[in-house]
Amino acid sequence: MDTHYRPLDIENKWYPYWMNKGYFRSVPDDREPFTIVMPPPNVTGVLHMGHMLNNTVQDILIRKARLDGKNACWVPGTDHASIATEAKVVQLLREKGIKKRDISREEFLKYAFEWKDKYGGIILDQLKRLGASADWERTRFTMEDSLSEAVIAAFVDLFEKGKLYRALRMTNWDPQALTVLSNEEVIYSEEKDTLYYLKYPVADDVSQSISIATVRPETILGDAAIAVHPEDERYAHLIGKTVLVPLINRPIPVIADTYVDREFGTGALKITPAHDPNDYEIGQRHQLETIDILTPDGRLNETAQLLVGEDRFNARKLILPMLEAGGYLVKTEEYLHKVGRSERTNAIVEPRLTLQWFLRMKDFAQKALDAVRQDEIKFHPPQFVNMYQNWLDTDHVRDWCISRQLWWGQRIPAWYYQPNGTDNPLIFVAKTATEALEKARIQTGIPNLQIEDLYQDEDVVDTWFSSWLWPISVFDGFKNQEELAYYYPTQVLVTGWDIIFFWVARMAMAGYEWGPALLPGHKKGYMPFKDVYFTGMVRDKMRRKMSKSLGNSPDTLALLDKYGADGVRFGMLSSAAAGNDIVFDAPFDVKTNKILDESQLCDQGLRFCNKMWNALRLVKQWEIVPNPDTADAAEINQLAIQWMEERLAQLQEDQESSISQFRLSEALTDLYRFIWDDFCSWYLELVKPVYGRPIDRPTYDRTVDFFSDLMSMLHPFMPFVTEEIWHLLRSRPEREDCMVTPLIKHKKVNPVLSEDMAILNKIVAAIRELRAEKQIALKESLNVWWASSTKADSLLTQTGALPLVMKMANLAALKPTEEEPAGCITLMADTEKLFVAFEAEINIEEEREKVLKE
RNA sequence: GGGCCUAUAGCUCAGCUGGUUCAGAGCACCUCGCUUACACCGAGGGGGUCGGAGGUUCGAAUCCUUCUGGGCCCACCA
């Protein structure tokens, strides 16, 4: 056997082995279910650190449940990620010389699905490398037929319940993706900009003017008014007057509105209703015209009159010299403000008036809020409840804009009928065109209405409108409730806190919305999951969130190759208490994306594997005989075994408690320390025969039992190394594997034993310390006395204790004494006093003082 | 503007219900040791006024108040 543990071959061996035995598969039976639905990664995604952390946690919980005899079901899948994927496909088509606008929707979707089949879902294979024991036969995709049907069913149902409406609203427009975004998809961050002060001349007296401040001078072309505060004396004389928009001399009124902050800028505000949400509202109040000067992709249109066709940012640059030349530019200032960018494309979001579908959120929010408040859904760590409440607070919650101007997604099942000359179309929402037509015929009273007379909504629904159904739709719950009844609610959701609003809250909403109808009288409740484990964000050394766009994520596959899946799992987890962001310190070269140095945490995990591997080597090389080699050995072994049984019982208890509270890193750290310190450094050293001597069969067997049990306990965390060692420890029957063999519960028998051993350990440590201090070689055996006292006497005279200390500290003799023998150093070990024979000259005084001090 | 979290060893963090697992772990550092499973190791060691200041208490890293750093979420301030 190699002195070093080599993870790669071993990991490559076990994963297919488990798969072939069908251990990941779950079908409903009479066992208690333990269900996790995997947060579906983007179909375009590649494995990054966040996924590894996330899925490691899920795998631990699933493997633990499986070992506990539950029917563990982990459903994997991918998300179609409409905006991101569509952008990617558009890009690829462009490279082929195909423009999206030149092809039909059907052609586009054909390309998109082709691309998805070819490249999509790589990430799921990468998860296998990590050891993820998901039921791959259940792999779902949010845009496969069955799941799309669920989306359509949900849409139709909500429409019929009156919870959906279509309205012209100020929305967040992504000029790059050419679609509207929900509020949650806009990320605001502080950016440096310039504040321009511009002068608007008064129409009937050009010598007078009013100045405003704006960061978007190009939008003056869409101005509809200048607003001042009604009580602002500086501008009272101008209210009601007409001023001229610079450069184009369009007359606009000066109006009074309390929205205006007198302290800001000049105290006068330009009103551009088409391009600012606040301005839009003011415009509505004052019946101002909405002058849209931008094209969907963010260029100035004909209405702008000037700079037509220029991109909005370019227009800003170009308009400045014009304003300056005209004498309209008063001054400029550096200005720090929040800028909203598209979550997916990073383009600066443009407020835009568009016709969209919205979902009324108030009732949904209330139910989702109650579920958490009433502890039907528990958050780990609990402080995320605050964040959740804050967002779902029914006073602020805003309706969810669910339509997107894309093709990659479920097309909105709404058909419109709008005969010439009518203002608003009639809307027919139905699962199919045929049903819509049926409805239309009845409602319009035109029996021979044809499908060609209707037109379907061009938009698709938001990706999250399919994701929120995930815990139901992966079991085809909208069609058939057989599996749903068994697996729902899922046990725990493991996800990053960054999608608490996007996803967690909305799944809760969906659960309570459809649960009662789909599973009437379901005893287990309608929450989609009972617990939510929020993982932290994985950050780099500069504490930045690891992301593809920053390029600061290490090459995860290289990490797996280098440290093994077990090592990486150890590394990810050992510093990842729930909800705490973890700084993953794997230095890497941004340019080559290569790891430069070792990641300490993963390296520690690999070294841990190596430690266990070598413990295995030690055990395997022992020669086994029926009976103990010596009387001392028999005594030591007996004591060691009893102690180990006691410690294991305690460990097991602690593990159950930690894991049930989702303290996974604590559970792993405890195991690490137990295996390294208690098992290897102490227990194995105790029972280890002296060189060349054999071990007795009973001790050997118990040792293998202990080792196996530790492997079982560690298995959920580090599945590969534990399976390997578990098998090498002893030959196993055919259907027995570490992964599926439950651990027998150890019982605590003699709790005092742990304390006694701790004191013996301290005595040994004190003698070792003395050796280190006095440079006494370990080979040199020492004579030691202990000061007689009831405690030390009872401790050291119990079976095995004396030879144990002598073996571990390498003593020639260990005896009680009433008074201090001559030529000795006095030691304190815990409360026990020891005298160690020491022949070299020593300064008795000095030593005495030291002892006194202690 | 509203709200949340956090500050503990050089670094990354545990420390749960105030008190015998209370000042801890890993890494880093120092000393000694290639010893017979493992130098990817072993035996030891140094290192912290628990962010500051008040308070509650017999007792505070832990509870309260406040201040100061750091992070985050929400909200329409040009």
Side-chain angles (χ1 to χ4, degrees):
Chain A
M1 280 170 88
D2 198 327
T3 55
H4 288 121
Y5 177 71
R6 315 269 177 210
L8 280 188
D9 295 341
I10 289 164
E11 293 181 356
N12 290 334
K13 173 177 75 182
W14 287 113
Y15 199 85
Y17 173 91
W18 291 325
M19 286 272 277
N20 290 339
K21 287 212 171 179
Y23 290 154
F24 303 167
R25 180 69 179 145
S26 169
V27 288
D29 58 23
D30 49 13
R31 286 176 298 165
E32 185 189 338
F34 186 99
T35 319
I36 296 182
V37 289
M38 179 186 291
N42 288 355
V43 68
T44 59
V46 291
L47 191 69
H48 64 64
M49 299 304 283
H51 296 125
M52 291 218 290
L53 172 60
N54 216 340
N55 287 286
T56 296
V57 170
Q58 292 175 73
D59 195 44
I60 290 166
L61 296 172
I62 277 288
R63 284 179 185 269
K64 177 73 170 84
R66 200 180 281 123
L67 275 173
D68 287 344
K70 292 177 188 157
N71 187 346
C73 180
W74 186 12
V75 185
T78 49
D79 188 292
H80 67 281
S82 58
I83 297 180
T85 308
E86 176 147 336
K88 199 152 203 161
V89 175
V90 168
Q91 170 72 28
L92 284 165
L93 289 177
R94 196 181 299 144
E95 281 164 18
K96 284 191 194 171
I98 303 168
K99 282 189 191 144
K100 185 188 164 192
R101 71 177 72 153
D102 294 340
I103 59 175
S104 70
R105 185 183 197 112
E106 287 67 33
E107 282 175 295
F108 179 83
L109 286 176
K110 212 182 96 203
Y111 280 120
F113 271 109
E114 265 172 22
W115 184 85
K116 179 251 161 188
D117 289 341
K118 202 163 171 191
Y119 302 107
I122 293 174
I123 190 163
L124 296 183
D125 287 325
Q126 293 175 325
L127 285 176
K128 293 176 183 165
R129 246 322 252 117
L130 191 64
S133 61
D135 181 355
W136 301 107
E137 288 176 53
R138 290 182 176 274
T139 304
R140 307 311 297 259
F141 173 53
T142 52
M143 240 174 86
E144 67 182 71
D145 289 347
S146 167
L147 278 79
S148 289
E149 283 164 26
V151 168
I152 300 304
F155 190 100
V156 173
D157 184 55
L158 290 170
F159 182 79
E160 284 168 359
K161 288 174 179 162
K163 296 186 177 188
L164 284 177
Y165 64 93
R166 195 175 183 228
L168 188 67
R169 285 287 159 85
M170 210 50 167
T171 49
N172 306 296
W173 183 261
D174 180 336
Q176 196 172 314
L178 299 178
T179 177
V180 74
L181 303 172
S182 69
N183 297 318
E184 292 70 39
E185 285 168 303
V186 181
I187 310 295
Y188 290 91
S189 59
E190 208 125 272
E191 293 187 23
K192 215 192 265 179
D193 247 319
T194 310
L195 191 59
Y196 303 91
Y197 287 76
L198 304 178
K199 197 157 76 176
Y200 288 54
V202 176
D204 56 9
D205 178 2
V206 190
S207 66
Q208 284 191 65
S209 68
I210 185 166
S211 294
I212 56 91
T214 181
V215 285
R216 304 193 59 187
E218 74 282 9
T219 62
I220 62 166
L221 305 171
D223 281 354
I226 297 291
V228 296
H229 195 278
E231 286 150 33
D232 193 335
E233 286 164 14
R234 293 172 295 176
Y235 300 118
H237 65 289
L238 290 174
I239 295 172
K241 294 231 174 192
T242 298
V243 295
L244 300 172
V245 175
L247 303 176
I248 53 173
N249 290 326
R250 185 152 46 74
I252 55 170
V254 176
I255 60 171
D257 195 293
T258 51
Y259 170 80
V260 179
D261 177 0
R262 278 171 280 182
E263 308 301 314
F264 190 90
T266 63
L269 173 64
K270 77 189 212 43
I271 305 298
T272 320
H275 302 292
D276 183 280
N278 300 308
D279 291 10
Y280 178 71
E281 276 180 31
I282 295 170
Q284 293 291 92
R285 278 202 286 277
H286 297 270
Q287 286 93 43
L288 297 175
E289 199 187 340
T290 301
I291 307 161
D292 189 340
I293 58 157
L294 290 174
T295 61
D297 61 350
R299 289 174 296 115
L300 298 199
N301 64 19
E302 289 76 20
T303 317
Q305 301 180 40
L306 293 174
L307 300 169
V308 174
E310 291 293 343
D311 175 77
R312 53 194 168 142
F313 300 110
N314 209 26
R316 185 176 307 172
K317 256 180 242 155
L318 295 172
I319 203 168
L320 283 172
M322 299 164 76
L323 288 165
E324 209 166 2
Y328 298 109
L329 185 64
V330 181
K331 63 169 178 174
T332 61
E333 258 173 23
E334 284 263 289
Y335 184 56
L336 204 63
H337 70 144
K338 299 254 184 188
V339 176
R341 287 176 181 273
S342 164
E343 207 243 337
R344 299 288 185 188
T345 65
N346 205 38
I348 293 184
V349 165
E350 191 64 52
R352 187 159 184 245
L353 200 59
T354 58
L355 185 59
Q356 305 292 343
W357 282 93
F358 292 88
L359 176 61
R360 292 182 214 282
M361 290 297 272
K362 212 163 179 158
D363 293 347
F364 281 102
Q366 191 60 54
K367 280 184 193 157
L369 201 50
D370 291 345
V372 170
R373 282 192 178 144
Q374 289 158 12
D375 257 9
E376 280 199 350
I377 299 174
K378 291 190 204 63
F379 283 0
H380 308 273
Q383 55 269 32
F384 283 103
V385 170
N386 293 320
M387 200 160 121
Y388 183 84
Q389 292 199 35
N390 193 256
W391 186 73
L392 285 176
D393 184 341
T394 42
D395 293 338
H396 319 133
V397 74
R398 288 183 293 172
D399 289 350
W400 176 12
C401 176
I402 58 165
S403 44
R404 295 290 181 279
Q405 289 65 53
L406 301 167
W407 283 344
W408 182 240
Q410 288 88 11
R411 189 167 179 184
I412 288 176
W415 282 262
Y416 305 104
Y417 177 62
Q418 186 169 23
N420 288 339
T422 54
D423 271 352
N424 290 311
L426 293 168
I427 301 173
F428 308 100
V429 170
K431 288 181 183 173
T432 61
T434 320
E435 282 176 40
L437 181 62
E438 202 56 41
K439 285 186 178 177
R441 280 177 177 164
I442 293 164
Q443 204 175 319
T444 57
I446 308 171
N448 61 348
L449 201 69
Q450 296 303 308
I451 192 67
E452 291 76 29
D453 299 325
L454 305 179
Y455 60 96
Q456 190 181 354
D457 199 307
E458 290 295 329
D459 294 350
V460 300
V461 289
D462 180 9
T463 301
W464 298 102
F465 194 86
S466 57
S467 312
W468 75 327
L469 307 176
W470 189 245
I472 300 171
S473 60
V474 293
F475 299 112
D476 292 330
F478 278 86
K479 287 196 288 201
N480 170 348
Q481 289 77 46
E482 225 171 281
E483 286 218 320
L484 192 67
Y486 180 73
Y487 288 116
Y488 191 91
T490 70
Q491 199 65 40
V492 49
L493 174 76
V494 180
T495 186
W497 54 261
D498 54 336
I499 53 174
I500 187 167
F501 308 132
F502 274 121
W503 200 44
V504 179
R506 285 173 182 160
M507 279 191 287
M509 294 172 188
Y512 290 103
E513 180 67 20
W514 288 290
L518 296 173
L519 299 170
H522 193 53
K523 288 199 189 80
K524 294 185 279 183
Y526 298 117
M527 59 294 222
F529 25 73
K530 294 174 191 150
D531 293 283
V532 184
Y533 178 105
F534 288 106
T535 59
M537 298 292 107
V538 183
R539 295 177 188 276
D540 67 7
K541 272 207 162 146
M542 292 158 74
R543 297 206 158 259
R544 294 177 308 182
K545 209 157 132 180
M546 280 185 180
S547 72
K548 227 171 123 192
S549 54
L550 270 176
N552 59 348
S553 182
D555 182 339
T556 47
L557 295 177
L559 266 185
L560 287 167
D561 285 343
K562 188 162 185 190
Y563 300 105
D566 290 326
V568 172
R569 289 167 68 115
F570 180 97
M572 300 264 25
L573 208 72
S574 56
S575 66
N580 275 14
D581 287 0
I582 73 169
V583 177
F584 193 81
D585 97 88
F588 67 103
D589 188 322
V590 182
K591 281 178 194 138
T592 60
N593 210 23
K594 287 275 159 58
I595 300 159
L596 295 176
D597 205 334
E598 293 189 338
S599 153
Q600 287 179 358
L601 294 167
C602 295
D603 191 49
Q604 196 185 340
L606 178 58
R607 289 199 328 262
F608 183 34
C609 292
N610 195 57
K611 182 72 183 176
M612 293 186 283
W613 180 250
N614 277 289
L616 173 74
R617 290 180 58 227
L618 172 69
V619 171
K620 294 306 282 183
Q621 64 158 49
W622 284 335
E623 182 198 342
I624 306 159
V625 294
N627 295 308
D629 199 31
T630 62
D632 278 355
E635 279 193 27
I636 296 173
N637 293 352
Q638 190 196 335
L639 184 60
I641 288 167
Q642 283 173 3
W643 172 73
M644 192 62 329
E645 279 166 353
E646 206 60 38
R647 291 283 296 145
L648 270 171
Q650 182 64 49
L651 176 69
Q652 215 172 355
E653 201 179 295
D654 293 346
Q655 287 288 302
E656 291 303 322
S657 148
S658 297
I659 294 173
S660 66
Q661 295 171 73
F662 299 99
R663 300 168 172 275
L664 301 184
S665 40
E666 185 176 296
L668 178 57
T669 307
D670 285 350
L671 277 168
Y672 173 83
R673 290 227 290 271
F674 190 100
I675 290 171
W676 204 298
D677 298 338
D678 291 349
F679 185 67
C680 291
S681 295
W682 195 246
Y683 175 82
L684 287 180
E685 291 298 333
L686 285 179
V687 300
K688 181 163 108 182
V690 291
Y691 182 62
R693 301 301 309 166
I695 194 165
D696 61 286
R697 168 62 65 185
T699 302
Y700 178 82
D701 285 345
R702 288 307 286 145
T703 303
V704 169
D705 290 342
F706 295 147
F707 207 159
S708 294
D709 287 355
L710 287 170
M711 292 305 97
S712 291
M713 276 193 251
L714 184 61
H715 181 266
F717 301 91
M718 303 175 79
F720 296 103
V721 66
T722 50
E723 187 74 82
E724 176 76 6
I725 292 177
W726 197 84
H727 277 274
L728 291 175
L729 275 167
R730 60 163 61 114
S731 58
R732 308 280 182 172
E734 170 61 16
R735 291 288 303 179
E736 247 183 49
D737 292 295
C738 181
M739 174 173 172
V740 292
T741 306
L743 180 58
I744 290 142
K745 206 167 164 71
H746 290 262
K747 284 201 192 80
K748 282 199 254 186
V749 184
N750 182 6
V752 188
L753 201 57
S754 292
E755 293 163 31
D756 286 354
M757 190 65 96
I759 298 173
L760 295 179
N761 189 316
K762 277 180 184 158
I763 292 173
V764 171
I767 297 168
R768 285 174 175 170
E769 189 183 335
L770 181 83
R771 282 182 187 276
E773 193 189 323
K774 299 292 175 201
Q775 306 275 331
I776 308 167
L778 190 60
K779 286 175 196 154
E780 193 180 330
S781 26
L782 298 170
N783 286 300
V784 175
W785 292 264
W786 77 85
S788 274
S789 70
T790 32
K791 195 172 170 191
D793 292 340
S794 61
L795 188 68
L796 285 166
T797 52
Q798 68 173 277
T799 312
L802 204 67
L804 182 151
V805 172
M806 290 174 66
K807 178 176 184 177
M808 297 303 277
N810 190 21
L811 304 183
L814 179 59
K815 294 173 204 144
T817 178
E818 297 285 331
E819 50 196 71
E820 182 174 342
C824 279
I825 301 175
T826 309
L827 277 186
M828 291 303 294
D830 199 50
T831 53
E832 309 311 320
K833 199 180 217 178
L834 299 174
F835 308 107
V836 180
F838 188 62
E839 286 170 13
E841 322 115 53
I842 35 164
N843 187 333
I844 303 283
E845 270 311 303
E846 210 173 84
E847 294 297 327
R848 183 160 292 157
E849 259 171 46
K850 208 187 263 176
V851 172
L852 281 176
K853 243 187 197 170
E854 282 176 20

